[in-house]
Amino acid sequence: QVQLVESGGGLVQAGGSLRLSCTASRSIFSINTMGWYRQAPGKQRELVASITSGGSTRFPDSVKGRFTISGDNAKNTVYLQMNSLKPEDTAVYYCKADLWVAGRLDVYWGQGTRVTVSS
């Protein structure tokens, strides 16, 4: 199992930056893929960034060039650096861990951290 704890959300003005942290209860190298998702009011949850245990990353076009994802295995933590924030980035951000165990995919979510970008 994996427990995930997010932190770092808050209120920021448009154009500003925030760094979100997701600390896992086990080595992030043992987790196949970790990702950040967000959900705005009235909208579906969407992928923001993901990173595999091998270091491959993926971003949707909406955040490409503005957001980066990185991991620190010594701290069991994955970071989401968000720059040039826009009001449309306002959402609750969730950390997700995909863990393959004996051919079965187990998915774990954190509790979420709120990000509000003011115009």
Side-chain angles (χ1 to χ4, degrees):
Q1 285 201 347
V2 184
Q3 284 78 46
L4 303 170
V5 178
E6 302 106 329
S7 62
L11 173 64
V12 64
Q13 286 189 333
S17 298
L18 278 176
R19 188 178 77 161
L20 305 183
S21 301
C22 172
T23 300
S25 58
R26 59 188 289 168
S27 166
I28 58 174
F29 281 171
S30 70
I31 299 171
N32 301 92
T33 302
M34 292 195 69
W36 285 96
Y37 287 70
R38 67 186 180 189
Q39 188 165 20
K43 294 189 177 182
Q44 287 190 331
R45 193 171 294 190
E46 62 176 357
L47 173 70
V48 174
S50 65
I51 185 167
T52 68
S53 56
S56 297
T57 58
R58 187 160 67 102
F59 304 90
D61 289 343
S62 58
V63 307
K64 203 171 289 184
R66 300 189 297 122
F67 291 9
T68 58
I69 187 171
S70 61
D72 184 340
N73 193 53
K75 297 181 179 179
N76 291 350
T77 299
V78 171
Y79 301 101
L80 180 69
Q81 179 67 44
M82 306 186 293
N83 299 326
S84 302
L85 283 162
K86 305 175 181 180
E88 51 262 44
D89 294 318
T90 295
V92 178
Y93 284 69
Y94 297 90
C95 182
K96 174 175 171 273
D98 294 342
L99 186 64
W100 284 95
V101 179
R104 184 189 73 231
L105 176 63
D106 291 335
V107 178
Y108 301 90
W109 292 93
Q111 81 287 352
T113 185
R114 186 174 300 275
V115 172
T116 303
V117 184
S118 63
S119 57

